[in-house]
PDB file of all heavy atoms in Angstrom:
ATOM      1  N   HIS A 374     138.979 132.275  82.766  1.00 93.00           N
ATOM      2  CA  HIS A 374     138.818 131.096  83.613  1.00 93.00           C
ATOM      3  C   HIS A 374     139.658 131.218  84.879  1.00 93.00           C
ATOM      4  O   HIS A 374     140.737 131.814  84.866  1.00 93.00           O
ATOM      5  CB  HIS A 374     139.243 129.830  82.856  1.00 93.00           C
ATOM      6  CG  HIS A 374     138.411 129.520  81.653  1.00 93.00           C
ATOM      7  ND1 HIS A 374     137.272 128.748  81.707  1.00 93.00           N
ATOM      8  CD2 HIS A 374     138.549 129.888  80.358  1.00 93.00           C
ATOM      9  CE1 HIS A 374     136.751 128.645  80.491  1.00 93.00           C
ATOM     10  NE2 HIS A 374     137.503 129.328  79.652  1.00 93.00           N
ATOM     11  N   LEU A 375     139.181 130.620  85.956  1.00 94.00           N
ATOM     12  CA  LEU A 375     139.946 130.543  87.183  1.00 94.00           C
ATOM     13  C   LEU A 375     141.249 129.795  86.904  1.00 94.00           C
ATOM     14  O   LEU A 375     141.232 128.669  86.395  1.00 94.00           O
ATOM     15  CB  LEU A 375     139.141 129.835  88.265  1.00 94.00           C
ATOM     16  CG  LEU A 375     139.736 129.810  89.675  1.00 94.00           C
ATOM     17  CD1 LEU A 375     139.792 131.215  90.257  1.00 94.00           C
ATOM     18  CD2 LEU A 375     138.915 128.892  90.573  1.00 94.00           C
ATOM     19  N   ALA A 376     142.371 130.424  87.244  1.00 95.00           N
ATOM     20  CA  ALA A 376     143.668 129.921  86.792  1.00 95.00           C
ATOM     21  C   ALA A 376     143.949 128.500  87.256  1.00 95.00           C
ATOM     22  O   ALA A 376     144.569 127.722  86.529  1.00 95.00           O
ATOM     23  CB  ALA A 376     144.777 130.860  87.279  1.00 95.00           C
ATOM     24  N   ARG A 377     143.485 128.145  88.450  1.00 94.00           N
ATOM     25  CA  ARG A 377     143.823 126.826  89.001  1.00 94.00           C
ATOM     26  C   ARG A 377     142.825 125.747  88.615  1.00 94.00           C
ATOM     27  O   ARG A 377     142.920 124.622  89.095  1.00 94.00           O
ATOM     28  CB  ARG A 377     143.947 126.921  90.523  1.00 94.00           C
ATOM     29  CG  ARG A 377     145.132 127.768  90.962  1.00 94.00           C
ATOM     30  CD  ARG A 377     145.163 127.997  92.473  1.00 94.00           C
ATOM     31  NE  ARG A 377     144.145 128.952  92.894  1.00 94.00           N
ATOM     32  CZ  ARG A 377     143.052 128.631  93.577  1.00 94.00           C
ATOM     33  NH1 ARG A 377     142.807 127.377  93.872  1.00 94.00           N
ATOM     34  NH2 ARG A 377     142.186 129.556  93.943  1.00 94.00           N
ATOM     35  N   GLN A 378     141.872 126.100  87.750  1.00 93.00           N
ATOM     36  CA  GLN A 378     140.902 125.095  87.315  1.00 93.00           C
ATOM     37  C   GLN A 378     141.021 124.772  85.829  1.00 93.00           C
ATOM     38  O   GLN A 378     140.200 124.031  85.304  1.00 93.00           O
ATOM     39  CB  GLN A 378     139.477 125.571  87.625  1.00 93.00           C
ATOM     40  CG  GLN A 378     139.173 125.614  89.105  1.00 93.00           C
ATOM     41  CD  GLN A 378     137.712 125.904  89.400  1.00 93.00           C
ATOM     42  OE1 GLN A 378     136.972 126.337  88.522  1.00 93.00           O
ATOM     43  NE2 GLN A 378     137.291 125.667  90.628  1.00 93.00           N
ATOM     44  N   VAL A 379     142.035 125.300  85.177  1.00 95.00           N
ATOM     45  CA  VAL A 379     142.202 125.063  83.741  1.00 95.00           C
ATOM     46  C   VAL A 379     143.506 124.302  83.499  1.00 95.00           C
ATOM     47  O   VAL A 379     144.561 124.646  84.042  1.00 95.00           O
ATOM     48  CB  VAL A 379     142.230 126.393  82.956  1.00 95.00           C
ATOM     49  CG1 VAL A 379     142.470 126.143  81.470  1.00 95.00           C
ATOM     50  CG2 VAL A 379     140.926 127.136  83.144  1.00 95.00           C
ATOM     51  N   ARG A 380     143.408 123.283  82.693  1.00 95.00           N
ATOM     52  CA  ARG A 380     144.613 122.569  82.275  1.00 95.00           C
ATOM     53  C   ARG A 380     145.436 123.451  81.331  1.00 95.00           C
ATOM     54  O   ARG A 380     144.876 124.144  80.476  1.00 95.00           O
ATOM     55  CB  ARG A 380     144.236 121.273  81.556  1.00 95.00           C
ATOM     56  CG  ARG A 380     143.529 120.250  82.431  1.00 95.00           C
ATOM     57  CD  ARG A 380     143.184 119.003  81.640  1.00 95.00           C
ATOM     58  NE  ARG A 380     142.558 117.980  82.465  1.00 95.00           N
ATOM     59  CZ  ARG A 380     142.207 116.780  82.035  1.00 95.00           C
ATOM     60  NH1 ARG A 380     142.406 116.455  80.752  1.00 95.00           N
ATOM     61  NH2 ARG A 380     141.655 115.893  82.841  1.00 95.00           N
ATOM     62  N   LEU A 381     146.735 123.401  81.462  1.00 97.00           N
ATOM     63  CA  LEU A 381     147.653 124.082  80.563  1.00 97.00           C
ATOM     64  C   LEU A 381     148.393 123.035  79.738  1.00 97.00           C
ATOM     65  O   LEU A 381     148.271 121.830  79.990  1.00 97.00           O
ATOM     66  CB  LEU A 381     148.639 124.945  81.356  1.00 97.00           C
ATOM     67  CG  LEU A 381     148.036 125.913  82.385  1.00 97.00           C
ATOM     68  CD1 LEU A 381     149.146 126.716  83.065  1.00 97.00           C
ATOM     69  CD2 LEU A 381     147.014 126.834  81.758  1.00 97.00           C
ATOM     70  N   SER A 382     149.180 123.486  78.761  1.00 96.00           N
ATOM     71  CA  SER A 382     149.896 122.544  77.898  1.00 96.00           C
ATOM     72  C   SER A 382     151.313 123.032  77.631  1.00 96.00           C
ATOM     73  O   SER A 382     151.538 123.887  76.779  1.00 96.00           O
ATOM     74  CB  SER A 382     149.153 122.341  76.567  1.00 96.00           C
ATOM     75  OG  SER A 382     149.788 121.340  75.792  1.00 96.00           O
ATOM     76  N   SER A 383     152.245 122.522  78.406  1.00 97.00           N
ATOM     77  CA  SER A 383     153.672 122.794  78.241  1.00 97.00           C
ATOM     78  C   SER A 383     153.986 124.288  78.124  1.00 97.00           C
ATOM     79  O   SER A 383     154.521 124.749  77.111  1.00 97.00           O
ATOM     80  CB  SER A 383     154.229 122.046  77.023  1.00 97.00           C
ATOM     81  OG  SER A 383     154.095 120.662  77.186  1.00 97.00           O
ATOM     82  N   PRO A 384     153.664 125.075  79.162  1.00 98.00           N
ATOM     83  CA  PRO A 384     154.089 126.480  79.126  1.00 98.00           C
ATOM     84  C   PRO A 384     155.606 126.550  79.097  1.00 98.00           C
ATOM     85  O   PRO A 384     156.280 125.916  79.900  1.00 98.00           O
ATOM     86  CB  PRO A 384     153.516 127.042  80.429  1.00 98.00           C
ATOM     87  CG  PRO A 384     153.378 125.857  81.336  1.00 98.00           C
ATOM     88  CD  PRO A 384     153.034 124.704  80.440  1.00 98.00           C
ATOM     89  N   TRP A 385     156.170 127.340  78.150  1.00 98.00           N
ATOM     90  CA  TRP A 385     157.619 127.316  77.933  1.00 98.00           C
ATOM     91  C   TRP A 385     158.294 128.613  78.385  1.00 98.00           C
ATOM     92  O   TRP A 385     159.444 128.599  78.799  1.00 98.00           O
ATOM     93  CB  TRP A 385     157.914 127.050  76.458  1.00 98.00           C
ATOM     94  CG  TRP A 385     159.226 126.391  76.226  1.00 98.00           C
ATOM     95  CD1 TRP A 385     160.459 126.988  76.163  1.00 98.00           C
ATOM     96  CD2 TRP A 385     159.466 124.991  76.035  1.00 98.00           C
ATOM     97  NE1 TRP A 385     161.440 126.056  75.938  1.00 98.00           N
ATOM     98  CE2 TRP A 385     160.852 124.818  75.857  1.00 98.00           C
ATOM     99  CE3 TRP A 385     158.641 123.874  75.973  1.00 98.00           C
ATOM    100  CZ2 TRP A 385     161.435 123.564  75.630  1.00 98.00           C
ATOM    101  CZ3 TRP A 385     159.207 122.633  75.753  1.00 98.00           C
ATOM    102  CH2 TRP A 385     160.600 122.493  75.579  1.00 98.00           C
ATOM    103  N   ASP A 386     157.620 129.728  78.289  1.00 98.00           N
ATOM    104  CA  ASP A 386     158.208 130.988  78.714  1.00 98.00           C
ATOM    105  C   ASP A 386     157.080 131.955  79.056  1.00 98.00           C
ATOM    106  O   ASP A 386     155.905 131.707  78.732  1.00 98.00           O
ATOM    107  CB  ASP A 386     159.106 131.573  77.622  1.00 98.00           C
ATOM    108  CG  ASP A 386     160.109 132.592  78.174  1.00 98.00           C
ATOM    109  OD1 ASP A 386     160.241 132.705  79.409  1.00 98.00           O
ATOM    110  OD2 ASP A 386     160.769 133.266  77.364  1.00 98.00           O
ATOM    111  N   LEU A 387     157.439 133.062  79.710  1.00 98.00           N
ATOM    112  CA  LEU A 387     156.450 134.076  80.037  1.00 98.00           C
ATOM    113  C   LEU A 387     157.141 135.411  80.263  1.00 98.00           C
ATOM    114  O   LEU A 387     158.332 135.470  80.563  1.00 98.00           O
ATOM    115  CB  LEU A 387     155.627 133.675  81.263  1.00 98.00           C
ATOM    116  CG  LEU A 387     156.276 133.686  82.650  1.00 98.00           C
ATOM    117  CD1 LEU A 387     155.197 133.576  83.728  1.00 98.00           C
ATOM    118  CD2 LEU A 387     157.280 132.547  82.824  1.00 98.00           C
ATOM    119  N   THR A 388     156.384 136.483  80.070  1.00 98.00           N
ATOM    120  CA  THR A 388     156.870 137.832  80.311  1.00 98.00           C
ATOM    121  C   THR A 388     155.705 138.684  80.784  1.00 98.00           C
ATOM    122  O   THR A 388     154.544 138.355  80.535  1.00 98.00           O
ATOM    123  CB  THR A 388     157.503 138.428  79.036  1.00 98.00           C
ATOM    124  OG1 THR A 388     158.184 139.635  79.364  1.00 98.00           O
ATOM    125  CG2 THR A 388     156.454 138.732  77.977  1.00 98.00           C
ATOM    126  N   TRP A 389     156.013 139.776  81.476  1.00 98.00           N
ATOM    127  CA  TRP A 389     154.962 140.680  81.948  1.00 98.00           C
ATOM    128  C   TRP A 389     154.695 141.742  80.897  1.00 98.00           C
ATOM    129  O   TRP A 389     155.627 142.278  80.292  1.00 98.00           O
ATOM    130  CB  TRP A 389     155.359 141.338  83.266  1.00 98.00           C
ATOM    131  CG  TRP A 389     154.345 142.340  83.738  1.00 98.00           C
ATOM    132  CD1 TRP A 389     154.369 143.691  83.568  1.00 98.00           C
ATOM    133  CD2 TRP A 389     153.119 142.051  84.409  1.00 98.00           C
ATOM    134  NE1 TRP A 389     153.246 144.274  84.103  1.00 98.00           N
ATOM    135  CE2 TRP A 389     152.452 143.286  84.630  1.00 98.00           C
ATOM    136  CE3 TRP A 389     152.513 140.874  84.855  1.00 98.00           C
ATOM    137  CZ2 TRP A 389     151.221 143.371  85.279  1.00 98.00           C
ATOM    138  CZ3 TRP A 389     151.283 140.962  85.497  1.00 98.00           C
ATOM    139  CH2 TRP A 389     150.649 142.186  85.706  1.00 98.00           C
ATOM    140  N   SER A 390     153.427 142.072  80.692  1.00 97.00           N
ATOM    141  CA  SER A 390     153.024 143.120  79.763  1.00 97.00           C
ATOM    142  C   SER A 390     152.254 144.185  80.530  1.00 97.00           C
ATOM    143  O   SER A 390     151.180 143.903  81.075  1.00 97.00           O
ATOM    144  CB  SER A 390     152.152 142.546  78.641  1.00 97.00           C
ATOM    145  OG  SER A 390     151.563 143.590  77.879  1.00 97.00           O
ATOM    146  N   ASP A 391     152.805 145.411  80.574  1.00 95.00           N
ATOM    147  CA  ASP A 391     152.075 146.513  81.212  1.00 95.00           C
ATOM    148  C   ASP A 391     150.803 146.835  80.447  1.00 95.00           C
ATOM    149  O   ASP A 391     149.769 147.181  81.037  1.00 95.00           O
ATOM    150  CB  ASP A 391     152.968 147.756  81.276  1.00 95.00           C
ATOM    151  CG  ASP A 391     154.041 147.642  82.358  1.00 95.00           C
ATOM    152  OD1 ASP A 391     153.792 146.973  83.381  1.00 95.00           O
ATOM    153  OD2 ASP A 391     155.131 148.216  82.171  1.00 95.00           O
ATOM    154  N   GLU A 392     150.868 146.730  79.120  1.00 95.00           N
ATOM    155  CA  GLU A 392     149.702 147.054  78.293  1.00 95.00           C
ATOM    156  C   GLU A 392     148.547 146.089  78.542  1.00 95.00           C
ATOM    157  O   GLU A 392     147.374 146.488  78.522  1.00 95.00           O
ATOM    158  CB  GLU A 392     150.086 147.040  76.812  1.00 95.00           C
ATOM    159  CG  GLU A 392     150.875 148.255  76.355  1.00 95.00           C
ATOM    160  CD  GLU A 392     152.263 148.320  76.958  1.00 95.00           C
ATOM    161  OE1 GLU A 392     152.798 147.263  77.366  1.00 95.00           O
ATOM    162  OE2 GLU A 392     152.818 149.424  77.049  1.00 95.00           O
ATOM    163  N   LEU A 393     148.847 144.831  78.768  1.00 96.00           N
ATOM    164  CA  LEU A 393     147.812 143.831  79.002  1.00 96.00           C
ATOM    165  C   LEU A 393     147.514 143.632  80.484  1.00 96.00           C
ATOM    166  O   LEU A 393     146.575 142.907  80.835  1.00 96.00           O
ATOM    167  CB  LEU A 393     148.221 142.491  78.388  1.00 96.00           C
ATOM    168  CG  LEU A 393     148.427 142.489  76.865  1.00 96.00           C
ATOM    169  CD1 LEU A 393     149.039 141.168  76.412  1.00 96.00           C
ATOM    170  CD2 LEU A 393     147.113 142.739  76.145  1.00 96.00           C
ATOM    171  N   CYS A 394     148.366 144.247  81.349  1.00 95.00           N
ATOM    172  CA  CYS A 394     148.203 144.105  82.804  1.00 95.00           C
ATOM    173  C   CYS A 394     148.188 142.627  83.206  1.00 95.00           C
ATOM    174  O   CYS A 394     147.376 142.193  84.046  1.00 95.00           O
ATOM    175  CB  CYS A 394     146.931 144.791  83.293  1.00 95.00           C
ATOM    176  SG  CYS A 394     146.874 146.554  82.927  1.00 95.00           S
ATOM    177  N   ALA A 395     149.077 141.850  82.599  1.00 97.00           N
ATOM    178  CA  ALA A 395     149.087 140.412  82.851  1.00 97.00           C
ATOM    179  C   ALA A 395     150.404 139.827  82.340  1.00 97.00           C
ATOM    180  O   ALA A 395     151.140 140.461  81.577  1.00 97.00           O
ATOM    181  CB  ALA A 395     147.910 139.726  82.143  1.00 97.00           C
ATOM    182  N   PHE A 396     150.685 138.603  82.780  1.00 98.00           N
ATOM    183  CA  PHE A 396     151.772 137.832  82.185  1.00 98.00           C
ATOM    184  C   PHE A 396     151.288 137.264  80.850  1.00 98.00           C
ATOM    185  O   PHE A 396     150.143 136.814  80.735  1.00 98.00           O
ATOM    186  CB  PHE A 396     152.181 136.668  83.095  1.00 98.00           C
ATOM    187  CG  PHE A 396     152.864 137.081  84.364  1.00 98.00           C
ATOM    188  CD1 PHE A 396     152.138 137.203  85.543  1.00 98.00           C
ATOM    189  CD2 PHE A 396     154.222 137.349  84.389  1.00 98.00           C
ATOM    190  CE1 PHE A 396     152.758 137.577  86.721  1.00 98.00           C
ATOM    191  CE2 PHE A 396     154.851 137.724  85.562  1.00 98.00           C
ATOM    192  CZ  PHE A 396     154.121 137.844  86.731  1.00 98.00           C
ATOM    193  N   VAL A 397     152.158 137.269  79.870  1.00 98.00           N
ATOM    194  CA  VAL A 397     151.909 136.583  78.608  1.00 98.00           C
ATOM    195  C   VAL A 397     152.676 135.272  78.648  1.00 98.00           C
ATOM    196  O   VAL A 397     153.873 135.253  78.969  1.00 98.00           O
ATOM    197  CB  VAL A 397     152.341 137.433  77.405  1.00 98.00           C
ATOM    198  CG1 VAL A 397     152.140 136.660  76.105  1.00 98.00           C
ATOM    199  CG2 VAL A 397     151.565 138.739  77.381  1.00 98.00           C
ATOM    200  N   VAL A 398     152.002 134.178  78.356  1.00 98.00           N
ATOM    201  CA  VAL A 398     152.574 132.842  78.477  1.00 98.00           C
ATOM    202  C   VAL A 398     152.672 132.201  77.097  1.00 98.00           C
ATOM    203  O   VAL A 398     151.674 132.140  76.361  1.00 98.00           O
ATOM    204  CB  VAL A 398     151.713 131.950  79.402  1.00 98.00           C
ATOM    205  CG1 VAL A 398     152.364 130.578  79.573  1.00 98.00           C
ATOM    206  CG2 VAL A 398     151.503 132.622  80.754  1.00 98.00           C
ATOM    207  N   ALA A 399     153.873 131.732  76.744  1.00 98.00           N
ATOM    208  CA  ALA A 399     154.073 130.977  75.506  1.00 98.00           C
ATOM    209  C   ALA A 399     153.674 129.529  75.779  1.00 98.00           C
ATOM    210  O   ALA A 399     154.427 128.784  76.412  1.00 98.00           O
ATOM    211  CB  ALA A 399     155.530 131.064  75.058  1.00 98.00           C
ATOM    212  N   MET A 400     152.491 129.140  75.331  1.00 98.00           N
ATOM    213  CA  MET A 400     151.948 127.812  75.590  1.00 98.00           C
ATOM    214  C   MET A 400     152.360 126.891  74.433  1.00 98.00           C
ATOM    215  O   MET A 400     151.597 126.659  73.485  1.00 98.00           O
ATOM    216  CB  MET A 400     150.432 127.880  75.740  1.00 98.00           C
ATOM    217  CG  MET A 400     149.856 126.748  76.576  1.00 98.00           C
ATOM    218  SD  MET A 400     150.288 126.855  78.333  1.00 98.00           S
ATOM    219  CE  MET A 400     149.290 128.251  78.855  1.00 98.00           C
ATOM    220  N   ALA A 401     153.567 126.338  74.546  1.00 97.00           N
ATOM    221  CA  ALA A 401     154.152 125.593  73.432  1.00 97.00           C
ATOM    222  C   ALA A 401     153.312 124.386  73.040  1.00 97.00           C
ATOM    223  O   ALA A 401     153.204 124.046  71.861  1.00 97.00           O
ATOM    224  CB  ALA A 401     155.574 125.149  73.788  1.00 97.00           C
ATOM    225  N   GLY A 402     152.711 123.714  74.030  1.00 96.00           N
ATOM    226  CA  GLY A 402     152.006 122.473  73.744  1.00 96.00           C
ATOM    227  C   GLY A 402     150.748 122.630  72.932  1.00 96.00           C
ATOM    228  O   GLY A 402     150.314 121.672  72.278  1.00 96.00           O
ATOM    229  N   SER A 403     150.128 123.813  72.956  1.00 95.00           N
ATOM    230  CA  SER A 403     148.919 124.028  72.160  1.00 95.00           C
ATOM    231  C   SER A 403     149.118 125.107  71.104  1.00 95.00           C
ATOM    232  O   SER A 403     148.153 125.559  70.497  1.00 95.00           O
ATOM    233  CB  SER A 403     147.738 124.407  73.069  1.00 95.00           C
ATOM    234  OG  SER A 403     148.020 125.578  73.813  1.00 95.00           O
ATOM    235  N   HIS A 404     150.372 125.533  70.883  1.00 96.00           N
ATOM    236  CA  HIS A 404     150.706 126.493  69.818  1.00 96.00           C
ATOM    237  C   HIS A 404     149.904 127.783  69.975  1.00 96.00           C
ATOM    238  O   HIS A 404     149.303 128.284  69.013  1.00 96.00           O
ATOM    239  CB  HIS A 404     150.472 125.874  68.439  1.00 96.00           C
ATOM    240  CG  HIS A 404     151.011 124.486  68.300  1.00 96.00           C
ATOM    241  ND1 HIS A 404     152.350 124.201  68.424  1.00 96.00           N
ATOM    242  CD2 HIS A 404     150.399 123.296  68.075  1.00 96.00           C
ATOM    243  CE1 HIS A 404     152.534 122.887  68.272  1.00 96.00           C
ATOM    244  NE2 HIS A 404     151.363 122.325  68.066  1.00 96.00           N
ATOM    245  N   THR A 405     149.902 128.325  71.191  1.00 97.00           N
ATOM    246  CA  THR A 405     149.107 129.505  71.490  1.00 97.00           C
ATOM    247  C   THR A 405     149.849 130.420  72.451  1.00 97.00           C
ATOM    248  O   THR A 405     150.860 130.043  73.051  1.00 97.00           O
ATOM    249  CB  THR A 405     147.754 129.115  72.134  1.00 97.00           C
ATOM    250  OG1 THR A 405     148.010 128.234  73.241  1.00 97.00           O
ATOM    251  CG2 THR A 405     146.837 128.424  71.151  1.00 97.00           C
ATOM    252  N   LEU A 406     149.321 131.636  72.616  1.00 98.00           N
ATOM    253  CA  LEU A 406     149.721 132.545  73.677  1.00 98.00           C
ATOM    254  C   LEU A 406     148.531 132.718  74.616  1.00 98.00           C
ATOM    255  O   LEU A 406     147.401 132.888  74.169  1.00 98.00           O
ATOM    256  CB  LEU A 406     150.132 133.905  73.116  1.00 98.00           C
ATOM    257  CG  LEU A 406     151.300 133.942  72.123  1.00 98.00           C
ATOM    258  CD1 LEU A 406     151.551 135.372  71.661  1.00 98.00           C
ATOM    259  CD2 LEU A 406     152.558 133.346  72.731  1.00 98.00           C
ATOM    260  N   TRP A 407     148.796 132.679  75.911  1.00 98.00           N
ATOM    261  CA  TRP A 407     147.766 132.877  76.924  1.00 98.00           C
ATOM    262  C   TRP A 407     148.154 134.074  77.788  1.00 98.00           C
ATOM    263  O   TRP A 407     149.311 134.500  77.802  1.00 98.00           O
ATOM    264  CB  TRP A 407     147.619 131.644  77.820  1.00 98.00           C
ATOM    265  CG  TRP A 407     147.003 130.450  77.152  1.00 98.00           C
ATOM    266  CD1 TRP A 407     147.216 130.011  75.874  1.00 98.00           C
ATOM    267  CD2 TRP A 407     146.103 129.508  77.737  1.00 98.00           C
ATOM    268  NE1 TRP A 407     146.502 128.869  75.629  1.00 98.00           N
ATOM    269  CE2 TRP A 407     145.812 128.534  76.764  1.00 98.00           C
ATOM    270  CE3 TRP A 407     145.520 129.393  78.989  1.00 98.00           C
ATOM    271  CZ2 TRP A 407     144.951 127.465  77.002  1.00 98.00           C
ATOM    272  CZ3 TRP A 407     144.670 128.319  79.241  1.00 98.00           C
ATOM    273  CH2 TRP A 407     144.387 127.374  78.251  1.00 98.00           C
ATOM    274  N   SER A 408     147.182 134.602  78.521  1.00 97.00           N
ATOM    275  CA  SER A 408     147.494 135.601  79.535  1.00 97.00           C
ATOM    276  C   SER A 408     147.145 135.044  80.903  1.00 97.00           C
ATOM    277  O   SER A 408     146.206 134.253  81.054  1.00 97.00           O
ATOM    278  CB  SER A 408     146.741 136.903  79.279  1.00 97.00           C
ATOM    279  OG  SER A 408     145.369 136.769  79.576  1.00 97.00           O
ATOM    280  N   PHE A 409     147.939 135.452  81.894  1.00 98.00           N
ATOM    281  CA  PHE A 409     147.705 135.076  83.288  1.00 98.00           C
ATOM    282  C   PHE A 409     147.704 136.350  84.114  1.00 98.00           C
ATOM    283  O   PHE A 409     148.719 137.040  84.213  1.00 98.00           O
ATOM    284  CB  PHE A 409     148.793 134.120  83.780  1.00 98.00           C
ATOM    285  CG  PHE A 409     148.834 133.940  85.279  1.00 98.00           C
ATOM    286  CD1 PHE A 409     147.706 133.561  85.984  1.00 98.00           C
ATOM    287  CD2 PHE A 409     150.018 134.151  85.984  1.00 98.00           C
ATOM    288  CE1 PHE A 409     147.739 133.398  87.368  1.00 98.00           C
ATOM    289  CE2 PHE A 409     150.064 133.990  87.366  1.00 98.00           C
ATOM    290  CZ  PHE A 409     148.928 133.612  88.061  1.00 98.00           C
ATOM    291  N   ASP A 410     146.545 136.678  84.662  1.00 97.00           N
ATOM    292  CA  ASP A 410     146.386 137.847  85.527  1.00 97.00           C
ATOM    293  C   ASP A 410     146.327 137.342  86.960  1.00 97.00           C
ATOM    294  O   ASP A 410     145.298 136.812  87.402  1.00 97.00           O
ATOM    295  CB  ASP A 410     145.113 138.604  85.167  1.00 97.00           C
ATOM    296  CG  ASP A 410     144.907 139.855  86.018  1.00 97.00           C
ATOM    297  OD1 ASP A 410     145.641 140.026  87.017  1.00 97.00           O
ATOM    298  OD2 ASP A 410     144.011 140.648  85.684  1.00 97.00           O
ATOM    299  N   PRO A 411     147.408 137.474  87.719  1.00 97.00           N
ATOM    300  CA  PRO A 411     147.445 136.839  89.046  1.00 97.00           C
ATOM    301  C   PRO A 411     146.522 137.468  90.066  1.00 97.00           C
ATOM    302  O   PRO A 411     146.161 136.827  91.056  1.00 97.00           O
ATOM    303  CB  PRO A 411     148.909 137.005  89.461  1.00 97.00           C
ATOM    304  CG  PRO A 411     149.391 138.203  88.721  1.00 97.00           C
ATOM    305  CD  PRO A 411     148.667 138.177  87.403  1.00 97.00           C
ATOM    306  N   GLY A 412     146.099 138.709  89.842  1.00 94.00           N
ATOM    307  CA  GLY A 412     145.244 139.363  90.824  1.00 94.00           C
ATOM    308  C   GLY A 412     143.769 139.340  90.493  1.00 94.00           C
ATOM    309  O   GLY A 412     142.945 139.823  91.280  1.00 94.00           O
ATOM    310  N   ALA A 413     143.407 138.783  89.356  1.00 93.00           N
ATOM    311  CA  ALA A 413     142.006 138.784  88.923  1.00 93.00           C
ATOM    312  C   ALA A 413     141.168 137.814  89.747  1.00 93.00           C
ATOM    313  O   ALA A 413     141.683 136.982  90.492  1.00 93.00           O
ATOM    314  CB  ALA A 413     141.923 138.434  87.446  1.00 93.00           C
ATOM    315  N   LEU A 414     139.866 137.905  89.576  1.00 90.00           N
ATOM    316  CA  LEU A 414     138.892 137.030  90.241  1.00 90.00           C
ATOM    317  C   LEU A 414     139.126 137.008  91.750  1.00 90.00           C
ATOM    318  O   LEU A 414     139.330 135.970  92.371  1.00 90.00           O
ATOM    319  CB  LEU A 414     138.945 135.614  89.644  1.00 90.00           C
ATOM    320  CG  LEU A 414     138.646 135.508  88.148  1.00 90.00           C
ATOM    321  CD1 LEU A 414     138.688 134.071  87.693  1.00 90.00           C
ATOM    322  CD2 LEU A 414     137.290 136.136  87.823  1.00 90.00           C
ATOM    323  N   ASP A 415     139.141 138.209  92.321  1.00 87.00           N
ATOM    324  CA  ASP A 415     139.273 138.383  93.766  1.00 87.00           C
ATOM    325  C   ASP A 415     140.576 137.787  94.285  1.00 87.00           C
ATOM    326  O   ASP A 415     140.627 137.205  95.373  1.00 87.00           O
ATOM    327  CB  ASP A 415     138.075 137.746  94.487  1.00 87.00           C
ATOM    328  CG  ASP A 415     137.970 138.199  95.939  1.00 87.00           C
ATOM    329  OD1 ASP A 415     138.419 139.316  96.253  1.00 87.00           O
ATOM    330  OD2 ASP A 415     137.457 137.422  96.766  1.00 87.00           O
ATOM    331  N   GLY A 416     141.639 137.941  93.488  1.00 88.00           N
ATOM    332  CA  GLY A 416     142.951 137.485  93.917  1.00 88.00           C
ATOM    333  C   GLY A 416     143.245 136.031  93.653  1.00 88.00           C
ATOM    334  O   GLY A 416     144.338 135.549  93.982  1.00 88.00           O
TER     335      GLY A 416
END
């Protein structure tokens, strides 16, 4: 999904993963892990 068009839920921490080529986000509010690729979808 386009990063600025999706609601998030209390992101608490994040780290970069070379293997995933993205930030991994600890989404505390929905008990999940998300990825954020800042350069995807034409930047």
